[in-house]
Amino acid sequence: MNRNRCLPGTTFAGNVYTTVPSGEMVNTNMIHNCTFGGNKIILGRFNANEFLKIKQQIPFPCGLYNSTFINCVLLDGCLVRDTALLANCFVDVGAIVFGCGNITFYNNSNNGLLCGNMQELPIAVETGGRDTYIFAEQTVEDAAIIAGNRYQLNLIQDYKNLVEEYGNKVKLHCNVIGRHANLLNCSNIENVFIGSYANIDSANIGNSSILSGQGKEKTIICGGSVVENSIIQWGVHLESLCIITGSLMCTHSHADRHGKVIDSIIGPFTGVSEGEVTSSLLGPFVGFHHQSLVIATYWPAGRGNIGY
């Protein structure tokens, strides 16, 4: 790559490579006022006529602007703008990182990180006894079997072995920001997998996996929400300063209005608003209203309402 073609204000302190075929130049006119460092930077194509829309409304040209990159892969047509630090990140095609603070990946052991997978949650008993592993593609039905049938020792051991095998295959060595995912105005993102088309706006996320898809399967996390040590599945909505820690939010569940989910598994289409769920397994179609409280509860069938 010809570094001299970059506009003034761009500096390099490491090796820079490109996915562009030999003989074709990287369009460095789409790189403004950036700093690159670390052992390796890999750049894709940036076309001047390719625009991405912030919040699906405001168009910006793809490229890299006013940001710092350490050991990153930045693929075709992505947009990174006004971000303080992007360190150890894989940014896939068409992804947007806009107005963020620090997006970093720290792995002192060099063995890879699980980003929320393979945690044991103290389901139904806060002090332990029905501990249940969680992983990204888990269903609430499978979790209910393990948490509810503790006398089936062989089944529990086989389940543990399978989850451990799964964990060995999904370890990450960098942040992954999937195709067409949006990270907007986030002050701190650390050790994460962000699925394709996810929309993360004004949220803090640490050591977590966010699964997402297109259309109704898009996962949305916004409004000052905090996600830590958790797995968020497809189509989940988290907003209004909710807190999710050490938990699994199953597909199309939601939390809002300061709702708190701690060490719990929340089934599909179940919502936690204003209240708190701790060390519990809630099945599908459970609704929360007012300052509800659910602790150490095993309710796999769901289909109910918690009033206050």
Side-chain angles (χ1 to χ4, degrees):
M1 174 180 171
N2 186 352
R3 300 182 180 188
N4 296 326
R5 285 175 54 85
C6 294
L7 294 181
T10 298
T11 60
F12 296 88
N15 298 315
V16 180
Y17 303 89
T18 179
T19 61
V20 174
S22 179
E24 182 179 340
M25 296 297 296
V26 176
N27 185 2
T28 52
N29 289 328
M30 311 306 291
I31 302 174
H32 292 216
N33 195 33
C34 291
T35 298
F36 298 93
N39 296 323
K40 184 181 291 187
I41 297 290
I42 299 177
L43 302 178
R45 283 188 176 92
F46 302 110
N47 296 322
N49 58 354
E50 185 173 351
F51 285 75
L52 302 175
K53 290 187 177 181
I54 305 295
K55 296 188 175 181
Q56 300 180 343
Q57 295 182 2
I58 306 170
F60 278 88
C62 69
L64 312 176
Y65 309 91
N66 309 321
S67 301
T68 299
F69 303 91
I70 307 294
N71 295 330
C72 289
V73 178
L74 307 159
L75 293 188
D76 299 359
C78 69
L79 168 63
V80 182
R81 189 180 185 102
D82 301 326
T83 294
L85 175 63
L86 207 69
N88 304 314
C89 294
F90 176 92
V91 182
D92 211 336
V93 174
I96 298 175
V97 180
F98 190 95
C100 293
N102 297 326
I103 302 177
T104 55
F105 189 93
Y106 296 113
N107 181 15
N108 295 328
S109 67
N110 294 320
N111 291 325
L113 299 179
L114 289 162
C115 297
N117 289 284
M118 278 194 64
Q119 293 184 84
E120 276 191 292
L121 305 188
I123 297 299
V125 184
E126 277 192 279
T127 55
R130 293 182 178 270
D131 296 342
T132 304
Y133 283 103
I134 61 172
F135 58 94
E137 291 88 357
Q138 188 180 41
T139 65
V140 70
E141 292 84 2
D142 289 342
I145 291 172
I146 299 303
N149 300 310
R150 303 304 291 186
Y151 60 89
Q152 299 187 43
L153 300 182
N154 291 335
L155 174 64
I156 293 172
Q157 185 59 48
D158 290 343
Y159 177 80
K160 179 180 179 181
N161 293 339
L162 285 172
V163 174
E164 289 178 347
E165 181 181 349
Y166 173 93
N168 290 329
K169 295 178 179 180
V170 300
K171 291 181 179 179
L172 291 180
H173 296 271
C174 66
N175 289 327
V176 174
I177 302 172
R179 287 180 172 237
H180 304 288
N182 282 211
L183 269 66
L184 312 176
N185 308 308
C186 298
S187 61
N188 190 56
I189 303 288
E190 182 176 323
N191 298 352
V192 295
F193 173 88
I194 306 290
S196 299
Y197 298 95
N199 189 352
I200 316 296
D201 190 350
S202 304
N204 288 345
I205 302 177
N207 191 41
S208 298
S209 294
I210 314 298
L211 309 183
S212 182
Q214 298 186 58
K216 294 182 179 179
E217 298 298 312
K218 178 186 292 187
T219 294
I220 298 174
I221 304 176
C222 61
S225 298
V226 176
V227 178
E228 300 173 329
N229 308 315
S230 296
I231 297 171
I232 311 300
Q233 290 188 346
W234 304 269
V236 170
H237 287 197
L238 305 176
E239 53 191 340
S240 305
L241 298 170
C242 70
I243 298 174
I244 313 296
T245 181
S247 297
L248 167 64
M249 300 289 294
C250 291
T251 179
H252 294 285
S253 58
H254 69 272
D256 54 32
R257 297 183 182 179
H258 301 263
K260 292 188 288 186
V261 180
I262 303 168
D263 296 335
S264 295
I265 298 173
I266 305 300
F269 301 99
T270 287
V272 179
S273 294
E274 299 183 74
E276 175 186 341
V277 179
T278 296
S279 297
S280 297
L281 185 150
L282 302 185
F285 298 104
V286 173
F288 268 57
H289 300 279
H290 310 298
Q291 292 294 334
S292 307
L293 178 63
V294 174
I295 295 179
T297 297
Y298 178 75
W299 188 5
R303 299 174 179 85
N305 183 71
I306 307 296
Y308 57 89

